[in-house]
Amino acid sequence: MEEDELLNQENVEKRLSPHPLSFMGLQSLCIFLIAWGLIFGWMINFSDFRELFENVLLQIAVWGLVLLVVSIIASIIKVMWRIFFLYLSVVLVALGLIWWLNLFDAIGLFLPVYTVIVSIIGFLLVELFRRSHKYIISNQRIVFKGGVITKEQRTLRYDKISDVNTKQGILGQIFSFGTIIPISQSGFGLGSDQSFAGGGAHGSGSKRVGLFGFFGGGREVQTPRTRSYYELHGVYPFKEIRKMVEQLVQGSEISQYQKQQVDFQEEQRDFQEEQRDLQKEMKDLLKKQKNQSKSKEE
Amino acid sequence: MSGEAFDVVVFAPLAPIFGLILFWFIQLIFIEIQKSLLNQLRSSHDALIRFTNFIGIFFQTICHALGYTLTRSGISSFYLSVDYGKVDPKKKKSGVFEWLVNMFLFVGPFFLPSFLLLAYFFLLSNDAFTIMAQSEFTFAENFIGFGSNLFGFTKDLVFFLGSIDLFHPGHLGFFLLFILLGLGIRPSYIGKRPVKKVDMFYDLKNIRYNILHKPVYVLIAILGAYIFSYLNVFFGQSLYVSMFSFFGWASILAIFALIYAEVLLFWVYVLDDLSVGFRVLTLLTLPLSYILLRILFYLLSWPFAAQIGFWGSVSITVFVTLMLLYRLTNKFKTLLSMNSIRGTSGGKK
């Protein structure tokens, strides 16, 4: 954050960015690609059962099918169909290149090299994405910045934070990083898990009596989840940052004791005002009495 | 009763038990050496310590859960973190079930991870698992049989590790698991603050408590071993010694994994004297030199490419490490002699 972006009396407490291992979900997609590229290369070129893969079309089919099956499994587990489409595009580009450059005779070399290169590009893109995240914790607000091409920014004042959610996976516990999701009063920072169950039945009797029934149900559970641009994603050192954020949130709110103090001071002020009014009345009365006695004497 | 018969009835069943205890104790000593090394690294490699601890906690918690599952106690909650693991049963059983669960918790982590690796090794080299046939079933023959089974296995394991082909996915997977097992066979500590130190005495105390707490169960277990031994003699089989050999193989595998992991940890320890750039360079020397050597040998069509590639890359890495330490640090006391840094009072300046 530049100096001119700072508000009045605002001090930057911490500038953060995600830990290099905090995007392991995305990185593991690349790790799988690199591993499969090497295994496939070994399998069709050097292994004892390479004779099974003499057919070029079989080589392409095995390579592509493994990628697609794994991507479907990963998509179902992570509920993210982008994984499937990403891998599908990798397969389609490979098929396009093979057909366009007529690489049918060099599949054994092309597919492993292509897979490894794609995974290296993937690693670089993930790293670029990670480096686009910047989080600034000041004494007044948290600023979240991100975006490789389109720049996004979220500003959250501490008095607007209603809840702070934290997450720390096994890698985070080992390397001391974790994710902090500040949830605003408007509910920003909350996602939802949706589940749906449905069923149908159709039966037809011997007298052509058709029966059809359908039943279903859905359920939605609110859960702290948001994009990495809008949370403190994989910040290090996690415990220190979490404490700092919670203290800043606490500092922006009036505690019960402080509230009692304010009430007490207000009561005191009212009492003093009453006293002042009473004294004024007394003074006026005395003045009146003095004037009356003076007029009597005259 | 002749002397030989007395030997078969009284002493012979003890032979593989003694052998197994011996190897388990050697394993325990190697674990202790590793913990001492990890302790040296604690200040500068906190993440590595937490990682190794997590592997240890993971195996221990899995063993505990397995204990509850096999005794049909069920699992009501399972908690696993870097510092601590906890399993709660659905039904709290007492007596022999509780004792068995505790045995799984205290002794299981020494063997269960090794069994997994043993199963993997069986897929790669099933020649290593040969059993010596027995005829007399005496103490000496049982002992020799146990030793012979372990020797055959060790010979094949050493040959496999010496000729490991890291371009083979199966071998690479085995090697990675082997190192992981070596790094985290037991955790270094349990809990956050106060931390409970897990060392050789901690393990021995727990095992001693479980044995002395219910000595009847131990006697029953020994009695069961004797009966099994007699049945083997009766049917002329070698299953009794084979059963203990199975544990012995797991122990041997764990010992080798610990040795490899300790070499790795020692390497990390000595590299601490170098700056970050040179440290990364040295760490990359091993995989890069291996890949280059393998490609070179492949192009030259040399025999024994895997063996020479592996040991060649290890030698190059050791050489690079020593040269960097020699040139850039005073590790070998060549830049400054020990005498020059000693004060007149004998202490360090």
Side-chain angles (χ1 to χ4, degrees):
Chain A
M1 193 153 67
E2 302 296 327
E3 283 294 315
D4 58 341
E5 287 180 76
L6 289 174
L7 304 174
N8 287 338
Q9 296 179 328
E10 187 176 22
N11 302 314
V12 174
E13 303 280 341
K14 209 99 179 172
R15 287 170 197 274
L16 302 162
S17 54
H19 191 275
L21 296 174
S22 61
F23 285 102
M24 193 39 86
L26 295 173
Q27 283 161 340
S28 56
L29 294 176
C30 306
I31 291 171
F32 172 73
L33 271 182
I34 214 165
W36 174 233
L38 294 174
I39 290 171
F40 182 75
W42 168 83
M43 209 164 66
I44 62 168
N45 293 312
F46 307 106
S47 72
D48 294 339
F49 43 93
R50 58 180 178 273
E51 286 163 11
L52 294 171
F53 295 98
E54 278 180 351
N55 189 331
V56 173
L57 289 176
L58 182 69
Q59 290 175 6
I60 298 170
V62 168
W63 176 80
L65 274 176
V66 168
L67 279 186
L68 293 178
V69 167
V70 168
S71 68
I72 289 169
I73 294 167
S75 302
I76 291 168
I77 292 169
K78 299 288 285 181
V79 200
M80 198 187 276
W81 284 98
R82 266 180 289 173
I83 298 170
F84 171 71
F85 290 113
L86 194 76
Y87 275 35
L88 182 68
S89 61
V90 169
V91 173
L92 291 177
V93 170
L95 293 177
L97 283 172
I98 292 165
W99 179 73
W100 186 38
L101 300 170
N102 198 14
L103 293 167
F104 289 99
D105 295 336
I107 290 291
L109 182 68
F110 171 73
L111 281 180
V113 172
Y114 166 79
T115 319
V116 172
I117 289 173
V118 166
S119 67
I120 291 168
I121 293 169
F123 270 119
L124 292 174
L125 289 174
V126 172
E127 186 58 16
L128 196 69
F129 178 65
R130 181 185 78 83
R131 282 173 188 247
S132 73
H133 292 71
K134 290 279 176 285
Y135 310 123
I136 297 121
I137 299 177
S138 79
N139 58 340
Q140 293 184 9
R141 56 189 176 148
I142 308 176
V143 180
F144 310 79
K145 288 182 171 186
V148 179
I149 297 164
T150 307
K151 303 292 176 194
E152 293 188 49
Q153 182 168 329
R154 178 194 184 193
T155 300
L156 189 59
R157 294 181 66 89
Y158 295 115
D159 56 342
K160 303 290 178 207
I161 296 174
S162 61
D163 193 5
V164 177
N165 178 269
T166 57
K167 274 191 287 190
Q168 200 182 22
I170 286 296
L171 266 183
Q173 288 173 49
I174 291 169
F175 292 99
S176 298
F177 67 83
T179 297
I180 300 165
I181 308 175
I183 299 162
S184 72
Q185 286 160 2
S186 62
F188 200 85
L190 281 176
S192 62
D193 281 341
Q194 289 178 338
S195 60
F196 181 83
H202 180 259
S204 60
S206 55
K207 293 178 182 175
R208 289 187 183 179
V209 179
L211 284 170
F212 181 75
F214 185 84
F215 57 91
R219 192 177 172 182
E220 187 177 298
V221 180
Q222 288 277 309
T223 183
R225 185 184 303 141
T226 186
R227 289 184 181 178
S228 54
Y229 294 140
Y230 306 138
E231 64 185 16
L232 296 170
H233 185 90
V235 287
Y236 172 90
F238 171 68
K239 283 179 186 165
E240 198 182 299
I241 305 295
R242 183 179 60 185
K243 194 175 175 187
M244 179 192 276
V245 170
E246 283 183 350
Q247 275 177 345
L248 287 164
V249 171
Q250 193 189 31
S252 71
E253 282 179 0
I254 299 174
S255 67
Q256 194 60 34
Y257 174 72
Q258 285 171 322
K259 207 174 176 183
Q260 282 173 357
Q261 288 291 310
V262 170
D263 291 342
F264 178 69
Q265 283 173 3
E266 278 176 357
E267 274 177 28
Q268 288 285 310
R269 191 193 59 200
D270 294 343
F271 180 69
Q272 281 170 356
E273 274 176 8
E274 278 175 22
Q275 290 286 312
R276 248 196 323 269
D277 293 343
L278 205 66
Q279 278 178 349
K280 205 178 171 186
E281 277 177 27
M282 289 293 283
K283 263 182 191 172
D284 292 342
L285 202 67
L286 279 169
K287 213 174 176 181
K288 214 174 174 180
Q289 281 180 342
K290 220 175 186 179
N291 290 338
Q292 277 177 350
S293 59
K294 225 178 213 178
S295 60
K296 268 183 187 173
E297 277 173 15
E298 280 171 0
Chain B
M1 188 184 269
S2 69
E4 195 177 307
F6 187 73
D7 182 355
V8 170
V9 173
V10 180
F11 295 117
L14 293 172
I17 298 175
F18 286 159
L20 180 64
I21 290 172
L22 173 74
F23 277 95
W24 173 72
F25 204 75
I26 295 170
Q27 188 182 336
L28 211 58
I29 289 168
F30 274 102
I31 292 170
E32 202 56 22
I33 295 168
Q34 193 201 44
K35 294 218 176 118
S36 158
L37 258 171
L38 284 171
N39 215 21
Q40 301 277 328
L41 293 167
R42 189 174 293 275
S43 57
S44 49
H45 296 278
D46 211 18
L48 178 68
I49 303 295
R50 280 198 292 264
F51 174 64
T52 58
N53 207 60
F54 171 69
I55 304 170
I57 295 271
F58 173 77
F59 285 138
Q60 183 169 304
T61 317
I62 291 288
C63 285
H64 202 183
L66 198 68
Y68 281 129
T69 310
L70 292 179
T71 54
R72 299 178 67 86
S73 305
I75 296 165
S76 68
S77 75
F78 184 90
Y79 174 81
L80 181 68
S81 78
V82 169
D83 320 289
Y84 185 63
K86 194 173 184 292
V87 186
D88 286 321
K90 275 184 188 163
K91 286 175 279 179
K92 190 93 182 163
K93 288 187 175 177
S94 56
V96 70
F97 294 112
E98 186 193 10
W99 186 79
L100 273 173
V101 169
N102 284 339
M103 283 309 271
F104 264 97
L105 176 64
F106 301 139
V107 185
F110 291 102
F111 295 103
L112 185 96
S114 315
F115 283 152
L116 294 175
L117 207 61
L118 206 63
Y120 194 160
F121 186 54
F122 181 75
L123 297 174
L124 298 171
S125 165
N126 50 14
D127 297 339
F129 300 85
T130 46
I131 303 288
M132 197 187 97
Q134 288 177 274
S135 57
E136 292 177 5
F137 301 97
T138 57
F139 181 87
E141 202 198 38
N142 274 2
F143 211 80
I144 290 166
F146 179 77
S148 173
N149 294 344
L150 261 61
F151 172 73
F153 175 81
T154 312
K155 198 176 75 175
D156 273 48
L157 179 68
V158 169
F159 180 75
F160 175 79
L161 290 172
S163 59
I164 197 160
D165 178 5
L166 296 179
F167 276 9
H168 186 300
H171 286 206
L172 181 66
F174 176 83
F175 192 70
L176 292 175
L177 279 176
F178 185 68
I179 296 291
L180 279 182
L181 167 74
L183 283 173
I185 197 159
R186 291 292 290 135
S188 312
Y189 63 91
I190 291 174
K192 284 182 179 163
R193 283 194 186 92
V195 167
K196 198 188 279 177
K197 197 179 167 195
V198 179
D199 58 6
M200 190 171 162
F201 297 108
Y202 172 87
D203 287 325
L204 286 173
K205 264 186 215 167
N206 279 334
I207 293 165
R208 189 189 66 176
Y209 169 76
N210 213 33
I211 289 171
L212 296 181
H213 182 57
K214 300 275 183 192
V216 180
Y217 296 142
V218 181
L219 284 175
I220 291 168
I222 292 171
L223 197 68
Y226 267 78
I227 292 166
F228 187 45
S229 170
Y230 300 152
L231 285 172
N232 272 265
V233 177
F234 187 73
F235 290 108
Q237 296 295 318
S238 313
L239 288 172
Y240 180 70
V241 173
S242 309
M243 185 182 76
F244 284 96
S245 300
F246 192 59
F247 283 90
W249 291 335
S251 214
I252 293 273
L253 203 52
I255 290 167
F256 272 91
L258 282 161
I259 293 170
Y260 269 61
E262 278 159 23
V263 170
L264 194 72
L265 289 174
F266 182 71
W267 187 37
V268 172
Y269 173 68
V270 294
L271 287 182
D272 273 354
D273 285 356
L274 297 173
S275 62
V276 178
F278 282 112
R279 211 182 295 167
V280 173
L281 178 81
T282 320
L283 288 170
L284 286 176
T285 306
L286 189 65
L288 287 180
S289 60
Y290 183 77
I291 292 166
L292 289 174
L293 283 177
R294 287 302 303 272
I295 291 170
L296 183 75
F297 294 152
Y298 177 73
L299 294 173
L300 296 173
S301 303
W302 275 22
F304 305 112
Q307 290 89 330
I308 303 171
F310 182 75
W311 293 107
S313 64
V314 170
S315 308
I316 290 169
T317 310
V318 170
F319 178 73
V320 169
T321 310
L322 289 174
M323 281 310 291
L324 285 172
L325 288 171
Y326 177 76
R327 303 289 296 181
L328 302 172
T329 71
N330 194 34
K331 199 86 181 166
F332 301 117
K333 309 291 177 287
T334 49
L335 300 175
L336 278 170
S337 68
M338 281 301 284
N339 288 335
S340 69
I341 56 169
R342 281 191 200 285
T344 47
S345 61
K348 282 182 182 177
K349 274 181 186 174

